[in-house]
Every structure is written in structure tokens, then in C-alpha cells.
Amino acid sequence: MNSFKIMGLDCANCARELEEDIQKIEGVESATVDFMAQKVICECDAPTLLKVKDLCNNFEDVKVVEEDADSLNAAYSRVYGEKIKIANLCCANCARELEEELNKIDGVKATVDFVNLKVILDARDGEAHEKAVYAITHFEDVKIVEDNAEKKSVFKEHLKDIICLIVATALFIPVFVLDITGYARDSFVLRVTSYVLFSIAYIAVGHPVLVNTVKNVCKGKIFDENFLMTIASLGAIALGIFAGDGFAEGVAVMLLYQLGELLQAVAVGSSRNSITKLMDLQSRTATVSDGGEWRTVSPEDLRAGDIIMIKAGEKIPVDCRIVKGVTALDMKSLNGEPVPRDVKEGDEVLSGSINVSGVIEAEVVREYKDSAVAKILELVENSTAKKSKSEKFISKFARYYTPAVVVAAAVVAALVPTVICAVYGVFGWDTYRDWIYKALNFLVISCPCALVISVPLSYFGGIGRCAKSGILVKGSTCLDELAQATVAAFDKTGTITEGKFAVTSYSSERALTLAAGAEKYSSHPIAAAFAGVDGVEVTAAEEIAGKGVICVCEGKPLLVGNAALLEEKGVKFQVKESLSTLVYVAHGGEYVGVVEIDDKIKEGAAEALKELKNSGVIYTQMLTGDNAARAAAVAGKAGIDGVSAELLPDKKLEEAEKLKRRGKLLYVGDGVNDAPVMVAADCAVSMGKVGSDAAIEASDIVLVSDNLALLPKGRKIAKSTRRLVVENIVGSLVVKLGIMALSIFLPDFPLIVAVIADVGVMLLAVLNAMRTRLIR
């Protein structure tokens, strides 16, 4: 059996696809891709192993990391997942081009997030990192800025562009009026004056585009929007001069284009600001007890066990447990719920909540880096790294679409009029002029910005809208999977039921105290039912997944668990019929008794499942290790279609694989015990485990609270976001193709209309993408 580490495998579905591809290689007897451990385990000979590694290295962004390459791993870890803030990235298409340029560097994997203006950089070593930084800082006017740099308003950030536009417009409008009224043609002085003022206006507004065009052409980059607008505007100017009509149209092309770019920047900036305000959860300070005195520190300086004070109106700085006082917490930033939650001594409270009323003292239970607010901020910040199929499609489409349109424009400008002249046997400059003009329309409308920006902006808005409701989505691909899921499976304990167990009855005091002693060493949720019970002392405790605890008490083996555990160890006992959870106890090979523990269905669970079905989920099933009769009773109350009970983790995984044959699988569980099923599911959702690394690693979506009603809400947002993405893709392409067709078939189709259409479709796409804020 061979195993090797990999990196760059960014989703569980990709792991499944890679595993299938490996299994197709001749000579591979078995193969498993472990998404959680980022490892490939396969059974094959040495030559075949080389083929497997080669396949991995050529599968999307996956790279093989040799187990003995300690220095390589160390170097990689130093610069893995680095987030670099940037400025002056002018458009979404430029972001795509920068991303492509960075990913061409050996040892670099990068995602350029135009919406958040950052680069998520994974570099294999210091040399690759330096090359990436050099590429970023030498891409057009892009600069690297400090992450905590002062955020400027949209007006201040684009002040230079606004001034240039005002100057150009002030010069253009009066001269344009003179031009169209004919006064400029009748007077030599006015004509020369108009040419001079048009030139100044053109240079004032268009100089950034002209400079970037020259820079990019020198680098061999031709097919970008700067080049397209330069050729289109200069071409219109040249045609206007040769025709004696002046070059107002060429100036107007550049003026309108830059106006559209500014409006796009304002719209995107507005979207950025809305997310920034949404995620303003972090408390800047914390008041900690130090030798009987209170002092102010940074939340990052707090340690587990510290006692902190939170006054009314302050944010909870870290996850903590109240030790003194009662209050109400405003948690709508975490879970979207408008009603404050009452808390008292002993209750655990999450960071990011706001203390509404009384002063409380609390004990820190998790440091800031492991707290809820840190996890939320990290998830939202990294959410753009996992791109959906729609985003990947648009990136690839834009790469070929622009060159294809430029080639088509060249054919329209040169080949078509040549053929026409050849057919009629006469060379006509007017014919060439008309078709060159049509080709300029092609160039203007070919700018792919509307497509490239609107798709990620739609997903960004959808993910932000989910976050505002307490639903943390790890990327646009996860949002898509949630929208498309048709089959849903649920764990029982802690998902459908509250997961707060209590002892309801027991056959003897001896059985209760023995069970309480053993359950202290169990991580299963039912162990909490024995928290207030005095148990016996036990040693050598070992938890058996899905069965119970084996330990030693008074020198004899003690078994505490389900019926399967006692049967496996050969203990004779009478199985009790009950809908409660049963914990059987055997000591020294003899049956002692049974303890009954109960749980109740979460409030609103049945309504949430009904809404989920109304949204298009055709089948629901419960996957649980619990008793079949009890599971069936809970499923019946919750409205779940099917039940698979008494499942060990491996059997749970088998059932999940069967469900995937029915359609895309959505699995909802606690994110720790159900990790194998979560990895196998198309979309995995964990319930209320924000502080748990295991939950976040295993799941695609995290519900901040234990409220199952968030799931249909998240699905509605996901479906609405996906609909907006489709609208933008189809709408943009229809408009662009329509303008191309009109420019061919309609005589004298104005170039200005093509510019307005290009700018208009871009702005409409951006505004449509921003509608994700309005989803209710």
C-alpha cells in the first residue's frame, strides 16, 4: 500500500473525481483520496505509482508533496494561504489576467479577488513568492498595500479620475455642440479649435488607457480591454478625420467608457463597503482582571481561563462562559435573529454578540484565534477562493471570447469588403470605411467586464447575505451545491433533536453510578446527561466509536454502551423495548442494569424540513446510530421520509453513497462524528459548531446557531444567487451578440450606441448582482 501527501485539493467533490480518475489507471488495484488529510492511498506497483503521481500533478491545482521533502513543506508553509491586499486594480477582466499571469509561475497557486481587492497566494518557496510579488507590483498600476491601511471613500479613491472626467466633459460638450450644428465646419479657426479641444479632452480622459495599452503591448499582452478601447477610439477618430466629419465620436467612445469604469468602481465599492460593515464583529479591546484590578488589552492577548468584564453596549471579545451577572445578547450579526437572547451564569456566549443590558463577568473558554468571530471572519474572507463552475466557465470563456471577437473584427474590416469589391470588380473606399466602422463596433462590445465582474460579485453578495443570517458559506462552489441539492440526509442527535440529554429513568442506583463513571471519558453527546451524577472511579477508559466505553472499575472490566457492545463481549442481558436512548451496563462480565436517556426534537425542525421540501428537495432521510424504533419516531415527528438506524460510521458512509445515486446530496450533521459522510456529500452542513476546527474543516457550510430554520433560508439565498448569475451571463451575452448582429445588418449603426450598450450592460449586470442584498 502506497500513500503520499498532496496539496491544492480544494473540495470534497474534486477529491471524489480524482479518486475515480486514479482508479481508472491500469495497475491500480484500489485507491482512496482522503480530502481531510490531503492524502492519496493506493495499492499498486512502483511504475504505476509514478503514473498516479503524474495524474495528481495534472489534476486542476493539485500538487504532490513528497513525504520526505521536509524543507519543501517548511518553505511552503511559510507562504501558504497568504492574503495580499492590493490597490489600483482597474477592472474584473484585469483581475482575471493577473490571476492567469501568477498561476503561470512555477510553484505558485493564486486567486485574485477583484471584489475584495486581494490576492490569495500559495507559494512553494521563497523564490516563487518573490516572483509572485514582482508580478503583482509590475502588473499595470497595481500596488501592494498594508492590510490595515486607511480605507478611503469611493470619492477620494477615484478623485483623479473624476477630475479628468469633469475636465474632458467640460471641453467636449460645447465643442461637440459646435461640431453637430455645423459652425465648426464653416470656420477654419473654430475647426482647428475644436480639434485642439477634442484632443485635450481625449488625452485627459483616455491617457490611463493609452499608457496601459503601450505597457501591455510591450509585454506581449494584446487582447485586453485597454487595447480594444484604444483601437476602437483611435479608429473612430481616424475614420472621422478622413471623412471630414471630425473626431467627436472617437472622443465620446473613450469618455463614455471611462465614465462606465468609474460607475462600475462606485457600484463595486458600495458592495465592498456593505460586506465590511456586515462583518464588523470584532471587538477592538477587552477588559481583563489582573490581580484584582481591571485593565484594557487587545482580544488577541486573552488566554483561556482569564476573567473579563463586558459592559452594556460592548461586543463580546472572545468566546467565554458567564461567571457573574445576567444580561441579554444581541446576536443578529451571528445568527440573523432580531430578538435578544437572555443569558445567565454558566451559559457560554459567542464572540461578536453585543451585551444589551447588564454588566457581566465571564471566563475565557477559547482564545481569539479559535473564537467564533475569528472563524466567521476567516470563512467570509476566504470565501472567494473556492470558485464555482460558473466562475471557472466565465474565466475560461473570457480568455477565448475577446481574441475571437478581435479576429472576427479583423475579418469584418478586411476580408468582407475585399470580397464585396472583388465581386463587383470595383475598389470602393466607402465600402472599406463602412465595414471598418462595423468592426470597431465589434471591438467596443467585446469587452468581457460585464461577465467577469457580475458573476463573482453575485456570489460575493450571496455569501455576504448568508453571513448576515448566520450561515457561513466557504465559497461560491458550496453555495451552488446547496442550491442544486435534491436529496437531504440528517444526523439525529444535535441536528434534528436538541442533543441535550437527561437521565429519565434507571433500573438501579448501581447501574447509574457505574454508567456515570464511565461516561466521563466519552465524547458522545449523551455523556452530558450524566454531568450532574456522582460516578465511581474508573481507569483505562477506551471509547469504542458507535458502541460505548470500555474501562476498568474495582479491578474488573466495565462495559457501558449500547446493546451491540454487550453482545460483542458476550454478556447475557435482556434487551429493553423503549423509544428512549438506552445505556446498558455490565461489570465483570455480569449484566448490572440499564439507564434511559431522552432527547427532544428541536423547535421548528419540522417546519424547516417542510420548507426544504418546498424548495425542491425531493427526498429526505435520517442516518443515525440510534435505535431503529426511536429513530423512526423522531423522523415521523420531524417529517423525514426515510430512516437508516443503528449505523456505525462506515455503514453511514455506505448509506450516503447510495443516496448520492438519487441526486446531489445535502448532509447535515455535527461536523465531528459525521466527518466521513460530510466529505462524501456534495454539500455538508454543520450545526452550531463555529468554535470547532473539525466542524469547519469537514463542512462546506456552518450554521452559527443550532437553528435548523437557517438551512431553508440559506438554500433560498443560494437559489436566488444562482438565478442572478444565470441572468447576468445570458443577459450580457444576448446584448453583446445582439449589438454585433445589428452593427452588421443595419447601415450606419452608431458606434456610440455600442459603447452605451457595453457600459449599460456592465452596469446592469453589476446592479443585478447587488440585488443579493435584497433577498429575504
Side-chain angles (χ1 to χ4, degrees):
M1 191 69 71
N2 304 288
S3 70
F4 54 89
K5 296 284 289 182
I6 56 175
M7 63 187 185
L9 190 62
D10 60 0
C11 74
N13 192 51
C14 294
R16 176 188 59 77
E17 292 174 359
L18 176 58
E19 184 175 294
E20 290 176 355
D21 287 349
I22 293 173
Q23 289 170 348
K24 292 175 184 177
I25 296 176
E26 187 176 352
V28 174
E29 295 184 22
S30 66
T32 301
V33 177
D34 187 341
F35 172 63
M36 295 291 290
Q38 293 280 296
K39 181 185 288 188
V40 175
I41 305 166
C42 61
E43 192 172 349
C44 61
D45 57 26
T48 306
L49 181 61
L50 292 175
K51 294 181 183 178
V52 173
K53 289 185 176 182
D54 184 60
L55 171 65
C56 293
N57 279 322
N58 289 281
F59 184 86
E60 295 189 357
D61 298 314
V62 174
K63 296 294 177 187
V64 174
V65 181
E66 298 298 340
E67 297 285 0
D68 58 350
D70 294 332
S71 59
L72 177 64
N73 290 337
Y76 185 86
S77 66
R78 285 198 299 272
V79 289
Y80 180 81
E82 181 183 6
K83 300 175 187 69
I84 301 174
K85 290 290 289 182
I86 56 176
N88 301 338
L89 188 62
C90 62
C91 73
N93 196 46
C94 296
R96 176 188 63 80
E97 291 173 358
L98 174 58
E99 183 175 302
E100 289 179 359
E101 193 168 307
L102 288 171
N103 285 317
K104 289 176 183 176
I105 301 171
D106 187 36
V108 169
K109 177 190 172 188
T111 300
V112 178
D113 180 358
F114 175 63
V115 177
N116 286 314
L117 284 178
K118 67 181 178 183
V119 177
I120 302 172
L121 181 67
D122 298 345
R124 183 180 58 198
D125 50 35
E127 183 183 355
H129 182 262
E130 287 180 12
K131 289 180 179 178
V133 170
Y134 181 87
I136 293 170
T137 54
H138 286 76
F139 184 87
E140 296 185 357
D141 297 320
V142 173
K143 295 179 181 178
I144 294 177
V145 296
E146 294 295 328
D147 197 21
N148 57 356
E150 181 186 357
K151 292 179 174 63
K152 297 179 181 178
S153 66
V154 174
F155 178 80
K156 286 184 178 180
E157 190 175 347
H158 297 280
L159 181 59
K160 182 182 174 183
D161 298 330
I162 293 171
I163 292 172
C164 289
L165 272 170
I166 292 173
V167 170
T169 305
L171 293 172
F172 175 80
I173 291 176
V175 184
F176 179 67
V177 171
L178 288 174
D179 191 61
I180 62 173
T181 55
Y183 287 109
R185 295 192 191 93
D186 298 336
S187 169
F188 175 78
V189 174
L190 286 179
R191 190 183 314 132
V192 172
T193 303
S194 69
Y195 278 18
V196 171
L197 293 180
F198 273 146
S199 299
I200 295 172
Y202 180 80
I203 293 171
V205 75
H207 72 275
V209 176
L210 300 174
V211 170
N212 285 330
T213 299
V214 173
K215 286 181 180 178
N216 292 339
V217 169
C218 291
K219 295 177 184 177
K221 290 171 56 182
I222 298 176
F223 299 118
D224 72 340
E225 64 172 4
N226 292 300
F227 177 80
L228 297 176
M229 296 312 302
T230 298
I231 297 300
S233 59
L234 291 178
I237 289 171
L239 289 177
I241 291 174
F242 282 123
D245 297 330
F247 52 92
E249 192 169 40
V251 180
V253 167
M254 187 63 78
L255 190 62
L256 287 170
Y257 168 72
Q258 289 291 66
L259 176 62
E261 290 294 296
L262 180 62
L263 293 175
Q264 175 193 276
V266 171
V268 175
S270 173
S271 182
R272 287 187 189 123
N273 291 337
S274 69
I275 297 298
T276 301
K277 290 176 183 177
L278 166 67
M279 299 314 300
D280 186 22
L281 301 172
Q282 184 180 8
S283 174
R284 302 301 175 189
T285 60
T287 305
V288 64
S289 176
D290 183 10
E293 295 184 0
W294 298 101
R295 63 187 180 92
T296 302
V297 299
S298 170
E300 287 88 346
D301 295 332
L302 295 174
R303 297 291 176 263
D306 285 350
I307 302 299
I308 59 175
M309 177 172 63
I310 305 110
K311 299 175 184 177
E314 292 182 345
K315 291 175 185 171
I316 309 295
V318 294
D319 299 350
C320 50
R321 184 178 294 104
I322 298 175
V323 295
K324 183 179 179 181
V326 295
T327 189
L329 295 181
D330 178 353
M331 298 186 66
K332 62 176 173 287
S333 295
L334 294 176
N335 58 19
E337 297 298 328
V339 180
R341 171 190 163 199
D342 294 326
V343 291
K344 59 185 184 305
E345 290 182 17
D347 289 344
E348 185 173 318
V349 294
L350 295 178
S351 52
S353 309
I354 299 174
N355 185 12
V356 176
S357 51
V359 178
I360 57 173
E361 294 180 19
E363 179 186 359
V364 176
V365 295
R366 277 183 289 273
E367 294 182 10
Y368 175 78
K369 63 183 176 66
D370 298 318
S371 65
V373 68
K375 299 295 182 185
I376 292 171
L377 293 172
E378 183 182 1
L379 278 176
V380 175
E381 191 175 332
N382 292 334
S383 62
T384 52
K386 290 187 175 181
K387 295 186 176 182
S388 67
K389 289 182 178 178
S390 300
E391 286 180 278
K392 291 177 181 177
F393 163 75
I394 287 300
S395 293
K396 289 182 179 178
F397 178 81
R399 190 182 308 158
Y400 300 108
Y401 161 76
T402 305
V405 173
V406 171
V407 170
V411 170
V412 169
L415 186 61
V416 174
T418 300
V419 170
I420 292 174
C421 291
V423 169
Y424 290 97
V426 179
F427 174 83
W429 163 244
D430 289 340
T431 301
Y432 274 92
R433 182 185 179 281
D434 289 344
W435 285 95
I436 290 172
Y437 193 81
K438 293 177 185 295
L440 294 181
N441 277 299
F442 271 49
L443 294 180
V444 168
I445 202 65
S446 67
C447 179
C449 263
L451 292 166
V452 178
I453 183 57
S454 64
V455 174
L457 192 60
S458 298
Y459 282 116
F460 185 71
I463 290 169
R465 189 69 189 85
C466 282
K468 193 172 183 180
S469 301
I471 307 158
L472 306 182
V473 184
K474 293 175 75 172
S476 54
T477 182
C478 306
L479 205 66
D480 262 3
E481 295 292 357
L482 176 61
Q484 297 177 80
T486 55
V487 179
F490 300 85
D491 181 35
K492 181 178 79 70
T493 306
T495 303
I496 301 300
T497 63
E498 289 187 349
K500 296 178 181 177
F501 294 94
V503 174
T504 55
S505 66
Y506 45 91
S507 58
S508 67
E509 285 284 349
R510 176 70 173 163
L512 179 62
T513 57
L514 286 172
E519 292 291 356
K520 285 190 297 185
Y521 297 92
S522 173
S523 61
H524 196 281
I526 68 169
F530 297 92
V533 180
D534 293 329
V536 298
E537 291 296 323
V538 303
T539 59
E542 179 188 1
E543 185 170 15
I544 309 299
K547 294 182 180 179
V549 178
I550 299 176
C551 52
V552 175
C553 177
E554 299 170 357
K556 298 178 182 179
L558 172 62
L559 307 179
V560 177
N562 57 22
L565 179 63
L566 270 65
E567 289 171 354
E568 184 181 289
K569 300 301 180 182
V571 177
K572 294 181 180 179
F573 68 102
Q574 184 67 41
V575 175
K576 184 173 182 177
E577 295 296 329
S578 174
L579 292 180
S580 299
T581 299
L582 299 177
V583 177
Y584 294 95
V585 182
H587 189 217
E590 297 294 328
Y591 177 63
V592 177
V594 63
V595 179
E596 293 189 51
I597 296 172
D598 222 337
D599 189 10
K600 65 178 182 179
I601 295 177
K602 286 183 178 178
E603 186 178 348
E607 290 79 4
L609 283 159
K610 185 178 179 181
E611 285 184 45
L612 206 59
K613 288 182 179 179
N614 291 338
S615 73
V617 173
I618 58 175
Y619 181 76
T620 56
Q621 185 160 328
M622 180 187 289
L623 305 180
T624 178
D626 208 348
N627 173 280
R630 184 164 53 254
V634 171
K637 291 178 182 177
I640 296 176
D641 299 324
V643 178
S644 294
E646 300 178 14
L647 299 175
L648 294 177
D650 58 331
K651 295 297 180 183
K652 229 181 199 187
L653 184 58
E654 288 180 14
E655 289 296 320
E657 293 292 349
K658 291 177 185 176
L659 288 173
K660 287 178 70 175
R661 296 170 195 160
R662 291 181 172 224
K664 282 189 176 290
L665 176 62
L666 169 69
Y667 183 79
V668 189
D670 62 16
V672 180
N673 299 329
D674 298 316
V677 185
M678 286 189 155
V679 171
D682 296 292
C683 182
V685 180
S686 62
M687 300 286 294
K689 300 289 184 181
V690 178
S692 165
D693 285 333
I696 290 177
E697 287 298 325
S699 58
D700 301 305
I701 296 171
V702 181
L703 305 184
V704 175
S705 69
D706 284 333
N707 188 358
L708 201 62
L710 292 176
L711 189 58
K713 183 185 291 187
R715 183 170 162 86
K716 181 180 179 183
I717 294 171
K719 288 172 77 74
S720 298
T721 301
R722 186 170 171 78
R723 186 182 67 250
L724 291 176
V725 168
V726 173
E727 286 175 2
N728 280 337
I729 292 174
V730 174
S732 298
L733 288 176
V734 167
V735 170
K736 287 178 178 293
L737 294 174
I739 292 296
M740 289 180 190
L742 289 173
S743 67
I744 291 291
F745 295 109
L746 291 182
D748 301 322
F749 186 81
L751 189 60
I752 295 295
V753 174
V755 178
I756 293 173
D758 180 60
V759 172
V761 75
M762 177 183 65
L763 291 176
L764 286 175
V766 169
L767 293 173
N768 193 44
M770 292 170 68
R771 286 173 55 210
T772 48
R773 300 190 206 174
L774 306 177
I775 299 171
R776 293 288 181 268

